[in-house]
Amino acid sequence: MPAVRVQKHEAEKVKNLLKKLGLYDGKRRPKREENFVLLPVISSPKLMELGFEVIDVELPFRPERQIYKNLKSVLAEKLTKEELAYLRRYDIIGDIAVVQIPKELEHRQRDIIEALLIVHPFVKVIAKRGVHEGKFRVRKYEIIWGEKRLTTLHKENGVKIKVDLGRVFFNPRMKGERYRLAQLVQDGERILLMFAGALPYALVIARFKNVEITAIELNEDAVKLGLENIELNKDKLRGKIKVIHGDVFEVVPKLGTFDRVISPTPKDIDALSLALGEAEKWVHYYDFVHEDRFNEFKKRIEKECQKLGKQCEVRIKKIADYKPHVYKVCADIMLF
Ligand SMILES: C[S@@+](CC[C@H](N)C(=O)[O-])C[C@H]1O[C@@H](n2cnc3c(N)ncnc32)[C@H](O)[C@@H]1O
């Protein structure tokens, strides 16, 4: 990912200038290298025009704010140590707090609600989350406090995303991953986004890069929200997004190939060969893999590429914990 290399004594001044120009990437940390500092930036032709030395380097992401810790400290006054150990991570989606309350803490629900409202006074709904269900991967929710709605406006990576948790899949924890992809993409690319949902990936990529995205989604409610989301962000988007309502397995084979294919694949669906077949240069394929089977997964991808007469380089990246020893992973695949 891009960084500007500057002399140490100029670093502060250049950092302020980059911030002013909207080119500084505050999500990654700068790094010292002897007499130089590497400042993380958003890729833009403007950097070259300004005469900066731009290099490609992996700078670490800043950790997400540990809001969970604040909730824990508020609850520490009421819950026992044993009870605190059962407390799970929660999400703030727009003005909705989504919590998990394990059965060991059900008798503490009132305390958890009160503590959440101290830490997040702007929240209007608190919902308890259930499991993902059906082919649209929508979760079941129970509203345990506040207004009776599951629609809200969520802000992430500089875009507004209208969501309806009762009808459409949405995972706020993929914010960093969407940003990572947006930084890998180059201006001018033609991108296929399969399993597009309400378009969080498409919006974030199109916000940062001047690209053409074709997004496919089967859930009609998600398609409607996606179109609303394009309208909501139209002044900010550098790229174009076209949405097709349909089944990827029927629609995609008729579309021809793309520079890059992104597949946030729903659990238990195998779209690997479809994604590889439609891509010319890059595929980002998401799946759920046991920690002992990473190598097997990589081999499967290489074999699939071979079948299609393509060569590939595969890097498997852990994205999130799914269940003990099983991770949500992204295979970044370069084709040549
Ligand atoms: C894991 S969700 C990802 C959604 C979106 N990319 C996101 O991250 O919010 C998978 C999505 O694929 C959609 N879906 C499931 N099967 C599909 C199919 N055969 N064709 C197109 N979309 C499908 C679901 O409705 C759901 O929105």
Side-chain angles (χ1 to χ4, degrees):
M1 284 185 236
V4 161
R5 187 165 174 268
V6 288
Q7 294 272 0
K8 209 166 76 185
H9 67 273
E10 287 182 333
E12 206 49 40
K13 198 175 80 194
V14 173
K15 184 174 162 185
N16 288 336
L17 173 69
L18 291 168
K19 278 188 176 171
K20 220 160 131 189
L21 296 171
L23 297 171
Y24 190 73
D25 178 0
K27 297 211 168 60
R28 290 181 291 142
R29 289 185 195 282
K31 187 179 167 194
R32 262 221 201 143
E33 241 180 23
E34 292 174 5
N35 287 332
F36 291 90
V37 177
L38 310 179
L39 297 170
V41 285
I42 286 155
S43 77
S44 160
K46 261 198 233 161
L47 293 163
M48 302 287 197
E49 287 163 24
L50 289 165
F52 288 125
E53 182 191 355
V54 183
I55 60 166
D56 189 27
V57 61
E58 289 249 336
L59 296 176
F61 283 94
R62 291 182 187 280
E64 299 275 323
R65 199 159 60 98
Q66 289 284 325
I67 47 180
Y68 160 81
K69 284 213 173 118
N70 295 345
L71 183 74
K72 209 169 182 177
S73 60
V74 174
L75 279 170
E77 290 172 18
K78 294 189 177 165
L79 271 59
T80 64
K81 256 194 176 162
E82 291 71 32
E83 285 173 331
L84 279 175
Y86 285 109
L87 204 60
R88 296 281 171 272
R89 202 180 145 182
Y90 63 96
D91 294 296
I92 300 292
I93 306 179
D95 59 2
I96 302 179
V98 174
V99 294
Q100 302 170 69
I101 303 186
K103 62 176 185 328
E104 293 82 356
L105 286 185
E106 268 167 8
H107 64 294
R108 291 298 201 173
Q109 184 164 301
R110 181 84 343 241
D111 294 320
I112 294 172
I113 291 172
E114 279 169 13
L116 268 169
L117 292 172
I118 292 170
V119 182
H120 302 283
F122 60 85
V123 151
K124 298 278 187 334
V125 182
I126 301 180
K128 209 157 94 172
R129 78 173 213 202
V131 291
H132 282 123
E133 284 185 336
K135 65 179 170 193
F136 297 156
R137 311 306 294 146
V138 178
R139 279 190 194 277
K140 281 260 169 268
Y141 291 90
E142 182 196 341
I143 296 175
I144 54 173
W145 181 88
E147 296 174 19
K148 300 285 171 264
R149 63 170 161 89
L150 288 168
T151 52
T152 188
L153 193 68
H154 184 69
K155 289 187 191 152
E156 160 195 312
N157 286 308
V159 295
K160 292 180 191 142
I161 307 171
K162 188 170 168 193
V163 297
D164 182 343
L165 300 175
R167 290 168 184 267
V168 174
F169 176 97
F170 180 70
N171 183 355
R173 298 185 191 178
M174 290 301 113
K175 168 180 151 185
E177 178 57 11
R178 293 190 258 272
Y179 180 80
R180 181 182 80 92
L181 286 195
Q183 299 313 309
L184 293 175
V185 165
Q186 302 293 318
D187 279 341
E189 285 187 14
R190 292 177 58 254
I191 300 172
L192 172 66
L193 173 65
M194 313 207 291
F195 312 106
L199 299 183
Y201 283 84
L203 295 165
V204 175
I205 294 171
R207 146 122 166 79
F208 288 104
K209 300 291 160 68
N210 184 5
V211 288
E212 271 179 39
I213 302 174
T214 302
I216 323 288
E217 171 59 50
L218 188 59
N219 178 353
E220 197 179 349
D221 290 315
V223 171
K224 282 187 191 152
L225 273 180
L227 293 171
E228 273 188 61
N229 285 331
I230 295 174
E231 192 58 28
L232 266 174
N233 292 283
K234 66 172 187 262
D235 297 338
K236 288 191 208 127
L237 301 184
R238 291 182 63 213
K240 291 194 181 69
I241 307 170
K242 177 175 150 195
V243 186
I244 302 177
H245 177 208
D247 185 326
V248 296
F249 294 97
E250 286 168 21
V251 175
V252 169
K254 299 176 193 150
L255 293 178
T257 56
F258 293 80
D259 296 313
R260 193 181 292 265
V261 175
I262 300 170
S263 176
T265 330
K267 181 122 189 4
D268 301 327
I269 286 197
D270 184 352
L272 180 61
S273 133
L274 182 68
L276 290 171
E278 298 306 309
E280 287 174 21
K281 294 182 200 151
W282 287 98
V283 177
H284 305 281
Y285 187 83
Y286 294 83
D287 210 337
F288 300 84
V289 183
H290 190 281
E291 61 191 3
D292 295 342
R293 306 226 169 92
F294 278 27
N295 213 25
E296 204 176 291
F297 180 48
K298 193 170 167 207
K299 290 258 161 348
R300 194 181 130 223
I301 296 170
E302 287 165 352
K303 214 165 147 192
E304 220 36 80
C305 284
Q306 252 177 20
K307 271 199 226 158
L308 294 162
K310 299 180 181 188
Q311 287 201 15
C312 64
E313 209 175 284
V314 184
R315 210 180 75 168
I316 312 284
K317 194 172 178 348
K318 277 185 199 167
I319 304 297
D321 293 341
Y322 176 64
K323 57 183 188 186
H325 309 291
V326 178
Y327 293 90
K328 177 171 181 172
V329 301
C330 179
D332 289 335
I333 307 160
M334 185 168 76
L335 300 166
F336 47 93

